[in-house]
Amino acid sequence: MNVNGRPEQFSAQPNELLVERLRDGLGLTGTKVGCDTGQCGSCVVQLDGRSVKSCLILTVSAAGSEVATIEGVTTPGGELNGLQEALRQEHGTQCGFCTPGMVMALGELVDNTAGGEAPTEPEIREWLTGNLCRCTGYHSVVRGVQRACAAARAEAPAGSTAVGQEV
Amino acid sequence: MTTVTGETALPGNGVLGQPLDSREDPQLLRGEATYVADIDLPGTAHMAILGSPVAHAKILSIETKAAEQLPGVLKVATAADFTDVMPLPCIWIPGGVESHFPPHPYGLPGARPVLTGDTVRHVGDPIAVVVAETPRQATAALAAIAVEYEPLPVVTRADEALAEGAPQLHEAVPGNLNAYWTCGDKDRTDAAIAEAEVTVELDLVNQRTINSPIEPRGAVGDYNAATGEYTLYASTQGPHNHRFLLSALVLGIPFNKLRVVAPTVGGSFGTKGYLYPDMALVLLLSKALGRPVKWVDTRTGLMNSTVQGRDHRQHVTLAGTRDGRITAVRCTSYANLGAYPSTIGPGVATALMGRSISGMYDIDAAFCEVYAAFTNTVSLGAQRGSGRAEAAFLMERLVDRYSSEIGMDPAAVRRKNLVPKEKFPYDNGLGWTYDSGNYQLNFDRALELSGYADMPARKAEARTRGKRLGVGLATYVAICGVGPSTRMSKEGMLGGTWESANIRVHPTGEVTVTVGSASTGQSHGTVFAQVAADELGIDPAQVQVYEGDTLKAPYGQGTYGSRSYSMAAPAVALTARKLKAKLVRAGAVFLGIPEDKVVYAGGKVYEEGNEENTKTFAELAMAMWYGWGLPPEIEPALDETTHFDPPDFNYPFGSHVAVVEIDELTGETEVVAYTAVDDAGNIGNPKVVLGQIEGSIVHGLGQALMEAAEYDENGLLVSSDLNHYALPRAADVPFFDLDKTVTPSPHNPLGAKGAGEIATVPPAAAVVNAVVDALSDLGVRHIDMPLTPEKVWRRLRGESQ
Ligand code: FES
Ligand code: FES
């Protein structure tokens, strides 16, 4: 599989979970494990561009896929992406344990808005239902997404605005 | 958030009180922080714990041979391997300790051993451990350990555990009663209730809940045979405290040979301040095996082993006049301590709850009694807002019950009984003396901001949509700033509860602050830097904060009870003031003027009336490092420490308003608006506090609407994963309307009060009050939490509780 754009070759036990491969096998510990049941969303990564819970996916079933983790979003100590920057400004993280999963899950939503409609508050909250956060109460995260979406739309090239939208 | 009263008058350069961005956030957002599960020491072996599958049984035999033979297994250990290890101490003994030389809490009745050898007392009670090369091998080997049990009868409710003929948990604790504890004036309260024009009573269940930080706990033990030093990395909110408990009380190893490190900690809310068997086991096994030993819990493991919260069954009474004056409040509570007394669980269930029951009200007579009982459940401990939330719940339910009984608006009743501003400091008759407050201002602001006056119209409008709208009020006082050590001894806390800070100014003018506190996500590095920078008049970017490592930071109890900003931050401020005083003395030498002509301001010293004669902070730092020409009474270097033990607690407070809509068809309760006006005194960083307030409210709403730790009749925790234990999700809550009032505390130099968890205290009461309001025309007078759709739907159909 390709992980953060790098080809990785290994053989895996049939019962190995993708999150185990990422954390223990490849040392990519930015992806977190918060539950045993696919409920918390701390382990979300992107598989071929779609966000998935890596604790629910077998490594073997991800063979040949593009996997993106939080480590692929920025360089160590480097610039934050638009969503991360917006979350920083809104203080959308406290203990930070749920945060990489949130960033990976929400990235898709923000990307989608660049050329389309900004999601409404209920849509953002709906999108977030797969990710649990016990610290923030989600408010700062929702505000962060709103901010990131606004920035993404402002930066989108002219003409990409959704139909019916005033420019 | 805007401020209603702006009494903030802090010295310094204005950095404090500013919503600076959290400097911790970028690292967290990049996934670069190291949590305990991310620690990977060379040669690490992995530990798994075998927890009891049954709630109560005698262990007849444990057979480990088969497990030992399995691939990768390095060691299987049981209680027999640790006979010289002391049980985990409970250091909060309800009732108080009045001695300079408190007893070591060795072998307190019911104390939990590191592994259980004879009798298991709850599902998850640790019986054996396996250490193996990989986590999977360790976990797999657990299944090969054969344990023979002889089942014993089970009890999971406190009131039932105290009944005649109940199953007995500990031989040394006949009747399962850990503590009978009272506060207030019983005779006066009973008399006031007997004579009252109106009395109302309620039977309340404050259900057991599980804090559920998103990061499960974990620990890594690393013994260095060459030096005899132990290092424990753990997801802890009190590294110094854990060092004390482990070295001095459990393992009997020299205090100075144990180092405890809290890496980044993924939330705690009280649970990670407790001592757990795993912390001792990884150290013992690291020594035995000569390798680092690591253990990381699973979610289900956490649910069955990490302290749980609340869990009171109460009979409560309120007395008053027909015109709305409350004259007495009384509470009899059965508190469920679980199978073993946790580190400070008994104190949470007694003092933290009982002394708070009269809330923001000026009541002549109050009394609370608590029966704290052992049962076959996970040990009880702190839970965001612990004790105070239980107290606010009973009082605020009673006030609503009373209001409806006398036909008066619940807001009017509350307003009439608030402690008036002139009465501070206010002795609440239950053991607390409230430091400062302006309750009327705070309460009125909440009514105004929530549009309380418009609720009748909104109710009528909601009915046209098939919804029942209800509005619920709740106020609270939260004791924070634990604490004054002597005062805490009177509550029975066996430990110094002060906090320390050290500030070291480097020759280049940069500053290192170290504190005994330890963050579990509260941006301490940002806020403590603001405190130091504000006092010293320098740029916060010059200040670096370290905490969470007992080797690097001075002693402190850690983060709990919303105490960091009112305990550790004052220690930072006082230390900075010592440095300033020294710089004034040294400044006289450097500037060649008498001391009383030296001014320290804006990060420099200068001559009064002659600002040309000046030295900057950086120049002073370098000069103090050289130490040239200093008179003997001034030591070189700038390095000061303060141990801050406040004169008394501090008491934040607030008023919340919940508006709910209940769907007539489904019984679903939706919180459609929520207003909170909290008063945490002077605030260091409003952005950081805002986040904590928002998170706290959602946590409180969780208890009202969905959270419950349910045990079946066999003592099995049914809600032992996140499929069966519901936590609030983003779509469950609206944005909140927030404001604050500011009433500084006189008990610390920053005028600070606790903030982190205070907003968890009232939401459960506010929401239940709102739901009862919405259903009151159906004759509903009370409804137990959590307010699941089914429960509400049954009440809509006229079924009783
Ligand atoms: S760890 Fe994957 S959803 Fe919780
Ligand atoms: S920031 Fe702590 S769980 Fe989300």
Side-chain angles (χ1 to χ4, degrees):
Chain A
M1 63 176 70
N2 268 332
V3 181
N4 298 329
R6 259 184 52 179
E8 299 282 357
Q9 275 206 340
F10 49 82
S11 59
Q13 294 290 319
N15 62 353
E16 183 192 279
L17 299 168
L18 178 58
V19 69
E20 291 176 279
R21 172 56 48 181
L22 294 172
R23 284 184 54 86
D24 305 334
L26 302 174
L28 297 169
T29 54
T31 302
K32 304 300 175 196
V33 180
C35 71
D36 334 318
T37 50
Q39 290 286 314
C40 75
S42 306
C43 64
V44 171
V45 299
Q46 290 187 358
L47 191 64
D48 295 327
R50 301 291 301 272
S51 47
V52 296
K53 290 175 174 168
S54 62
C55 73
L56 293 180
I57 303 232
L58 295 172
T59 304
V60 288
S61 70
S65 298
E66 291 286 337
V67 179
T69 72
I70 190 74
E71 285 88 351
V73 171
T74 43
T75 51
E79 292 266 300
L80 302 176
N81 74 11
L83 172 61
Q84 288 169 316
E85 177 58 26
L87 288 170
R88 187 185 73 81
Q89 291 183 19
E90 295 292 344
H91 188 41
T93 176
Q94 286 180 29
C95 78
F97 197 79
C98 70
T99 304
M102 292 254 191
V103 170
M104 298 315 287
L106 289 161
E108 209 185 322
L109 178 66
V110 177
D111 289 349
N112 290 346
T113 63
E117 302 243 353
T120 62
E121 185 200 329
E123 281 165 0
I124 295 170
R125 290 184 183 276
E126 206 49 51
W127 195 276
L128 259 174
T129 51
N131 294 75
L132 286 169
C133 176
R134 197 54 153 167
C135 299
T136 62
Y138 310 102
H139 290 57
S140 51
V141 179
V142 175
R143 286 194 299 265
V145 176
Q146 289 173 329
R147 182 186 273 266
C149 288
R153 283 164 57 75
E155 277 168 24
S160 70
T161 315
V163 190
Q165 207 66 51
E166 283 185 38
V167 185
Chain B
M1 275 207 287
T2 51
T3 308
V4 177
T5 58
E7 295 177 41
T8 316
L10 291 163
N13 63 2
V15 163
L16 204 55
Q18 295 304 312
L20 299 194
D21 286 338
S22 167
R23 56 171 70 169
E24 285 91 335
D25 285 5
Q27 195 192 15
L28 299 173
L29 287 159
R30 285 193 295 256
E32 287 173 359
T34 303
Y35 299 82
V36 72
D38 308 332
I39 293 173
D40 189 13
L41 303 178
T44 295
H46 298 269
M47 180 176 93
I49 300 177
L50 179 67
S52 170
V54 293
H56 201 190
K58 272 204 156 26
I59 297 176
L60 300 178
S61 65
I62 305 180
E63 183 48 64
T64 59
K65 285 228 170 51
E68 279 154 16
Q69 312 301 312
L70 289 175
V73 171
L74 301 165
K75 182 157 182 76
V76 182
T78 65
D81 293 277
F82 304 116
T83 47
D84 54 346
V85 177
M86 298 304 282
L88 307 189
C90 169
I91 57 161
W92 197 339
I93 318 299
V97 177
E98 294 276 353
S99 160
H100 289 287
F101 305 99
H104 275 308
Y106 283 142
L108 270 184
R112 181 200 284 280
V114 287
L115 287 176
T116 300
D118 50 1
T119 306
V120 290
R121 297 181 177 86
H122 70 87
V123 171
D125 204 345
I127 299 169
V129 287
V130 175
V131 184
E133 294 290 348
T134 72
R136 279 215 176 210
Q137 288 168 335
T139 308
L142 294 179
I145 301 174
V147 186
E148 217 186 323
Y149 301 96
E150 178 186 307
L152 294 168
V154 169
V155 63
T156 59
R157 274 175 53 164
D159 52 343
E160 290 173 357
L162 295 171
E164 194 88 12
Q168 296 295 297
L169 268 86
H170 299 281
E171 222 169 89
V173 189
N176 298 323
L177 185 66
N178 169 274
Y180 171 71
W181 177 95
T182 69
C183 68
D185 189 328
K186 181 173 192 330
D187 293 342
R188 191 186 174 98
T189 306
D190 288 349
I193 289 170
E195 290 159 12
E197 288 176 17
V198 186
T199 58
V200 290
E201 299 178 40
L202 284 170
D203 286 303
L204 301 177
V205 181
N206 205 303
Q207 87 272 25
R208 188 174 266 243
T209 56
I210 303 178
N211 254 334
S212 304
I214 303 303
E215 181 210 27
R217 292 188 316 98
V220 179
D222 186 19
Y223 178 71
N224 183 334
T227 61
E229 290 167 322
Y230 296 80
T231 302
L232 172 69
Y233 302 87
S235 45
T236 161
Q237 58 188 98
H240 292 278
N241 202 28
H242 283 132
R243 179 193 191 188
F244 168 69
L245 297 171
L246 278 169
S247 65
L249 302 181
V250 178
L251 302 178
I253 58 176
F255 199 88
N256 57 6
K257 292 210 167 169
L258 175 61
R259 170 186 179 195
V260 180
V261 182
T264 308
V265 176
S268 171
F269 319 111
T271 47
K272 292 174 181 169
Y274 290 72
L275 187 64
Y276 295 94
D278 41 83
M279 294 171 163
L281 289 167
V282 291
L283 291 172
L284 291 162
L285 290 162
S286 173
K287 184 175 185 184
L289 293 167
R291 304 170 58 165
V293 171
K294 175 172 173 176
W295 167 82
V296 178
D297 209 352
T298 61
R299 177 60 46 180
T300 301
L302 177 148
M303 296 290 210
N304 281 294
S305 70
T306 299
V307 293
Q308 302 180 348
R310 316 275 192 254
D311 208 343
H312 286 257
R313 286 174 183 266
Q314 302 169 323
H315 183 75
V316 295
T317 310
L318 181 143
T321 61
R322 289 244 153 260
D323 66 352
R325 176 85 208 146
I326 302 169
T327 55
V329 59
R330 185 174 64 197
C331 167
T332 297
S333 195
Y334 296 90
N336 184 351
L337 291 187
Y340 303 93
S342 64
T343 316
I344 60 164
V348 171
T350 55
L352 274 191
M353 193 279 293
R355 295 197 194 282
S356 304
I357 64 167
S358 60
M360 282 191 357
Y361 308 111
D362 183 9
I363 304 177
D364 189 48
F367 176 71
C368 180
E369 59 183 347
V370 180
Y371 296 86
F374 291 121
T375 70
N376 297 112
T377 61
V378 173
S379 293
L380 187 85
Q383 181 97 234
R384 210 176 197 169
S386 57
R388 289 120 333 159
E390 295 91 297
F393 186 76
L394 76 92
M395 187 63 201
E396 293 300 313
R397 285 296 299 122
L398 276 172
V399 174
D400 263 33
R401 183 73 200 83
Y402 170 57
S403 305
S404 77
E405 189 71 21
I406 59 174
M408 215 169 134
D409 184 281
V413 172
R414 284 185 171 81
R415 197 161 202 305
K416 185 167 187 157
N417 290 284
L418 294 174
V419 176
K421 193 171 183 255
E422 328 55 87
K423 276 204 169 180
F424 290 92
Y426 175 80
D427 178 349
N428 80 348
L430 290 158
W432 301 142
T433 302
Y434 302 159
D435 51 351
S436 62
N438 187 342
Y439 294 173
Q440 288 76 13
L441 179 77
N442 178 277
F443 184 66
D444 289 349
R445 179 62 184 141
L447 293 183
E448 181 197 321
L449 189 61
S450 64
Y452 186 76
D454 304 331
M455 292 301 168
R458 290 175 63 177
K459 283 183 182 182
E461 183 277 327
R463 284 307 267 267
T464 66
R465 293 183 279 113
K467 307 266 183 172
R468 285 170 166 267
L469 185 139
V471 53
L473 303 173
T475 69
Y476 71 97
V477 178
I479 180 244
C480 289
V482 175
S485 298
T486 306
R487 179 68 184 76
M488 283 309 290
S489 77
K490 296 187 179 12
E491 296 299 345
M493 175 72 95
L494 303 174
T497 41
W498 40 272
E499 280 295 323
S500 337
N502 172 272
I503 302 182
R504 191 172 301 173
V505 181
H506 306 294
T508 44
E510 289 93 5
V511 173
T512 298
V513 173
T514 50
V515 288
S517 189
S519 164
T520 58
Q522 297 94 346
S523 298
H524 285 181
T526 307
V527 181
F528 294 154
Q530 281 178 265
V531 174
D534 191 82
E535 289 285 342
L536 295 172
I538 59 176
D539 185 343
Q542 281 170 258
V543 184
Q544 187 64 30
V545 179
Y546 290 101
E547 60 174 18
D549 181 342
T550 60
L551 197 65
K552 294 184 184 162
Y555 195 85
Q557 280 254 319
T559 299
Y560 61 91
S562 302
R563 69 200 289 281
S564 288
Y565 191 64
S566 61
M567 292 291 295
V572 174
L574 291 169
T575 308
R577 289 178 196 181
K578 285 183 189 171
L579 287 170
K580 276 193 292 191
K582 184 169 183 180
L583 285 175
V584 167
R585 284 189 286 131
V589 178
F590 298 141
L591 301 174
I593 55 173
E595 208 178 303
D596 60 1
K597 287 275 175 285
V598 179
V599 180
Y600 185 106
K604 58 187 183 192
V605 294
Y606 55 85
E607 183 177 354
E608 194 182 350
N610 175 18
E611 288 201 36
E612 303 281 279
N613 188 15
T614 187
K615 295 288 172 212
T616 65
F617 188 78
E619 288 170 333
L620 291 166
M622 188 67 89
M624 292 301 285
W625 181 73
Y626 279 110
W628 294 347
L630 287 173
E633 64 278 11
I634 301 179
E635 285 178 24
L638 290 168
D639 185 337
E640 297 285 348
T641 299
T642 304
H643 309 285
F644 179 62
D645 208 1
D648 204 342
F649 305 107
N650 60 67
Y651 296 88
F653 58 91
S655 309
H656 289 200
V657 185
V659 181
V660 303
E661 284 187 7
I662 295 172
D663 189 311
E664 296 255 17
L665 287 175
T666 64
E668 216 159 324
T669 300
E670 188 187 349
V671 178
V672 293
Y674 197 93
T675 305
V677 181
D678 299 288
D679 192 321
N682 290 335
I683 286 171
N685 183 324
K687 190 177 232 177
V688 165
V689 170
L690 172 66
Q692 294 174 8
I693 297 275
E694 291 171 336
S696 286
I697 296 172
V698 172
H699 205 134
L701 296 176
Q703 180 179 19
L705 296 172
M706 59 189 79
E707 296 185 35
E710 307 259 15
Y711 288 86
D712 72 7
E713 69 280 6
N714 299 316
L716 188 77
L717 179 63
V718 180
S719 40
S720 69
D721 61 41
L722 293 176
N723 282 323
H724 299 90
Y725 187 91
L727 297 179
R729 291 174 184 273
D732 294 321
V733 288
F735 277 127
F736 304 143
D737 298 306
L738 302 176
D739 201 348
K740 65 176 187 268
T741 58
V742 177
T743 319
S745 172
H747 293 155
N748 63 75
L750 296 175
K753 296 187 174 188
E757 69 191 319
I758 59 173
T760 307
V761 174
V767 169
V768 176
N769 282 345
V771 169
V772 172
D773 177 52
L775 303 176
S776 60
D777 62 313
L778 300 171
V780 172
R781 296 283 168 265
H782 178 67
I783 178 164
D784 281 333
M785 299 184 287
L787 302 169
T788 58
E790 185 198 342
K791 218 185 265 178
V792 174
W793 180 77
R794 289 186 184 282
R795 302 304 287 273
L796 282 165
R797 296 176 66 232
E799 289 179 30
S800 59
Q801 182 132 297

